[in-house]
Amino acid sequence: MIYTVTLSPSIDYIVRLSNMRFNVTNRTDSEEFYFGGKGLNVSQVLAELDLDSTALGFIAGFTGDAIEKGIKNSRIRTDFIRLSEGFTRINIKIKAGGETEVNGQGPDIPEEALEALMKKLDAIRDGDTLVLAGSIPKTCPDDVYERMLERVKDRDIMIVVDATKQLLVNSLACHPFVIKPNRLELSEIFHAEVETDKDVEKYARKLQEMGARNVIVSLGRKGAFLLDENGETHTCGVLKQPVLNTVGAGDSMVAGFIAGYQKTGDYGYALKLGSACGNATSFLPGLATREKIDEVLAKL
């Protein structure tokens, strides 16, 4: 079983209008909403790839109800901690020429709720996969990922960490199976300019020396780079199609990489499928669909 953890899920409410004026009433040209949060995105794309997962995290209020109902399907089992106060956050994304975001804070997470989540990790067994994805709510302790990894350290599981800065660095002592920084995050971690392909490989190897088994670096329009645990490097490009959406593209890549590796054990194919999923999401208003993934995969 694959377990995904989303500590701060959201409903992403997207509004589109030709122009945005302040201090007056604006009316949208169109609007849509998606159930968001990095771990939930991974679960949803895994479902498109015919893989089952259990979604863990916190929900609250009517928005939490909507998320639980909205993402559950035959491939996704939800096992959230329900908080008694507050409501799951709503993120507003205004697309009017450019893009403006207003992200909600989400509910407070008390220590007893956090401990309840830790206990759910005890269901994870040898051979399972645990995906820790995204930032942590401000009411969670800074070491929450480390506490989760400490809880499962004696089990033979595949750990995937998609986080930024110190959250990512602190996870490396647990030797995660794969991590996925982007070029900017490499620069932030090492306080260095990461510009060339040699730079990317250099700092990916440093992350491997610090504990990561496999390191994917997403490079935006230049595609993606993988340093696998055998020391081999792999690259995959992107298709030149209009980009409609960047939200969830990285999460889609993570899902595709997990699926590709679990199905074949081949790192090159895993990166290719991950790249296809990331591309597919960027070409759609929402997350990648199986139809779009297959279309992109055939062309990469």
Side-chain angles (χ1 to χ4, degrees), residues 31-273:
E31 54 201 73
E32 63 249 23
F33 68 88
Y34 300 98
F35 302 116
K38 294 179 75 63
L40 296 189
N41 291 341
V42 172
S43 279
Q44 290 175 89
V45 176
L46 285 172
E48 294 291 323
L49 297 169
D50 300 324
L51 286 178
D52 298 333
S53 68
T54 297
L56 303 174
F58 303 105
I59 57 173
F62 73 99
T63 46
D65 293 340
I67 286 177
E68 183 163 38
K69 181 179 179 181
I71 71 162
K72 186 182 292 186
N73 64 35
S74 61
R75 291 289 186 182
I76 302 175
R77 173 177 173 261
T78 59
D79 193 16
F80 296 119
I81 303 296
R82 179 170 293 280
L83 304 175
S84 59
E85 298 183 4
F87 58 91
T88 297
R89 65 192 177 129
I90 299 173
N91 296 334
I92 303 170
K93 303 179 186 298
I94 304 169
K95 299 194 176 187
E99 183 171 314
T100 301
E101 297 190 17
V102 182
N103 287 350
Q105 295 187 42
D108 291 344
I109 300 173
E111 180 61 31
E112 57 267 26
L114 190 58
E115 183 56 32
L117 178 61
M118 296 294 175
K119 290 180 179 177
K120 288 188 181 293
L121 299 180
D122 295 340
I124 298 175
R125 298 288 181 259
D126 289 351
D128 288 342
T129 297
L130 174 63
V131 181
L132 303 180
S135 59
I136 60 175
K138 65 178 183 179
T139 56
C140 274
D142 292 340
D143 65 347
V144 61
Y145 277 4
E146 294 166 82
R147 289 168 61 179
M148 291 182 187
L149 295 174
E150 178 70 18
R151 188 98 180 190
V152 301
K153 70 177 183 179
D154 295 327
R155 278 160 271 176
D156 181 19
I157 64 175
M158 183 185 293
I159 295 169
V160 179
V161 179
D162 186 9
T164 60
K165 300 181 183 178
Q166 206 59 38
L167 278 176
L168 178 63
V169 172
N170 291 347
S171 75
L172 298 180
C174 296
H175 304 289
F177 174 72
V178 64
I179 60 174
K180 190 199 66 61
N182 59 35
R183 190 197 303 271
L184 176 60
E185 288 161 353
L186 280 184
S187 298
E188 292 173 339
I189 290 170
F190 293 105
H191 306 288
E193 294 295 324
V194 180
E195 296 179 346
T196 67
D197 294 343
K198 287 186 177 180
D199 293 336
V200 170
E201 181 175 345
K202 172 185 175 181
Y203 290 108
R205 291 192 182 278
K206 285 185 178 293
L207 288 173
Q208 202 172 60
E209 291 167 4
M210 294 164 67
R213 290 171 57 188
N214 299 282
V215 182
I216 300 172
V217 183
S218 51
L219 303 172
R221 295 181 182 275
K222 292 190 66 176
F225 167 90
L226 168 65
L227 174 65
D228 72 31
E229 62 183 332
N230 302 312
E232 300 295 323
T233 61
H234 311 262
T235 59
C236 191
V238 298
L239 295 187
K240 294 183 178 180
Q241 293 186 19
V243 173
L244 301 180
N245 167 49
T246 58
V247 177
D251 313 323
S252 302
M253 175 179 283
V254 169
F257 184 85
I258 293 170
Y261 184 78
Q262 290 199 359
K263 290 178 179 180
T264 68
D266 181 280
Y267 286 122
Y269 176 76
L271 180 65
K272 186 175 181 179
L273 182 57

Side-chain angles (χ1 to χ4, degrees), residues 13-20 26-32 94-97:
Y13 178 52
I14 300 172
V15 297
R16 304 176 190 274
L17 57 165
S18 54
N19 61 77
M20 178 74 177
N26 291 270
R27 300 194 183 279
T28 67
D29 296 327
S30 65
E31 54 201 73
E32 63 249 23
I94 304 169
K95 299 194 176 187

